[in-house]
Amino acid sequence: MGAEWELGAEAGGSLLLCAALLAAGCALGLRLGRGRGAADRGVLIWLCYDALVHFALEGPFVYLSLLGNVANSDGLIASLWKEYGKADARWVYFDPTIVSVEILTVALDGSLALFLIYAIVKEKYYRHFLQITLCVCELYGCWMTFLPEWLTRSPNLNTSNWLYCWLYLFFFNGVWVLIPGLLLWQSWVELKKMHQKEISSVKKFQ
């Protein structure tokens, strides 16, 4: 196997941390979703994982960036971002656009994820309003993370290695496009059903 396919210790540790957060998100989501349908359980798993990533990974990134930068920081979370920085150098050295987006992501998206979990568990009427808002915010974050870089011909992105290109850049960021997109579609379908049900009820009394 070529050197480009080897998984280093830093990469392995970072992936294990991500896997641990995913396992925690699954456990929390399944616990909160007991007695609910499969779709809601799946959404709760995602939201728990989403909130954990925003607060446990991106929150410390913002803190480290505001104090200085990740490159000059030590610790488990700093090591994870240094590893990701091998694919996108903007996360290692202070980048105003990235830090600005991440401040919004941690404060707004993380909070919305928690409120949406509550709305689903308690079956609140505003569930889909929050779901649509969160999904749009997540998609906006991805847009602002990568479009400025693409417009400048991606000087900070490293796609020479399969791990950096397909796992770090494509997969980990693509998940935050795919799942919010699916949740937007779910909200569209559910709102359409509610509208049709309301129209049918009105017609019965005419």
Side-chain angles (χ1 to χ4, degrees):
M1 182 177 290
E4 69 273 11
W5 289 93
E6 294 179 1
L7 193 65
E10 296 86 356
S14 297
L15 293 175
L16 280 175
L17 179 56
C18 292
L21 289 178
L22 178 59
C26 288
L28 287 170
L30 290 173
R31 181 177 178 83
L32 291 170
R34 284 184 299 185
R36 308 193 65 83
D40 277 353
R41 289 199 303 273
V43 174
L44 286 168
I45 288 172
W46 164 252
L47 291 173
C48 289
Y49 177 64
D50 186 47
L52 285 170
V53 168
H54 290 326
F55 291 125
L57 296 185
E58 293 173 315
F61 167 79
V62 170
Y63 176 76
L64 294 174
S65 297
L66 293 177
L67 287 181
N69 59 53
V70 170
N72 297 325
S73 303
D74 297 313
L76 180 62
I77 302 300
S79 297
L80 180 144
W81 287 114
K82 286 177 183 178
E83 176 62 25
Y84 182 77
K86 294 176 182 177
D88 188 343
R90 295 173 299 165
W91 296 81
V92 179
Y93 301 100
F94 186 91
D95 182 279
T97 300
I98 292 295
V99 176
S100 298
V101 169
E102 285 303 305
I103 290 172
L104 186 65
T105 298
V106 173
L108 182 59
D109 295 8
S111 299
L112 282 172
L114 294 180
F115 288 136
L116 181 52
I117 290 170
Y118 174 81
I120 294 173
V121 171
K122 297 298 184 179
E123 298 184 347
K124 296 296 184 179
Y125 66 91
Y126 49 78
R127 177 256 177 94
H128 286 289
F129 170 77
L130 290 180
Q131 186 162 307
I132 291 169
T133 304
L134 174 60
C135 291
V136 170
C137 288
E138 300 279 17
L139 293 172
Y140 174 77
C142 291
W143 175 269
M144 288 306 299
T145 296
F146 286 102
L147 186 65
E149 185 69 7
W150 291 337
L151 291 175
T152 55
R153 300 191 176 184
S154 307
N156 295 294
L157 302 185
N158 178 7
T159 58
S160 63
N161 180 287
W162 73 271
L163 182 69
Y164 304 156
C165 179
W166 295 108
L167 188 60
Y168 291 2
L169 294 175
F170 184 80
F171 177 76
F172 281 129
N173 290 288
V175 167
W176 264 268
V177 174
L178 176 63
I179 295 183
L182 292 174
L183 293 182
L184 280 175
W185 175 253
Q186 183 197 44
S187 291
W188 170 272
V189 171
E190 291 301 318
L191 290 172
K192 182 180 178 181
K193 287 180 181 178
M194 286 188 278
H195 177 69
Q196 291 174 337
K197 184 177 180 180
E198 182 179 354
I199 294 298
S200 298
S201 298
V202 170
K203 287 182 178 179
K204 287 181 181 179
F205 292 99
Q206 287 180 344

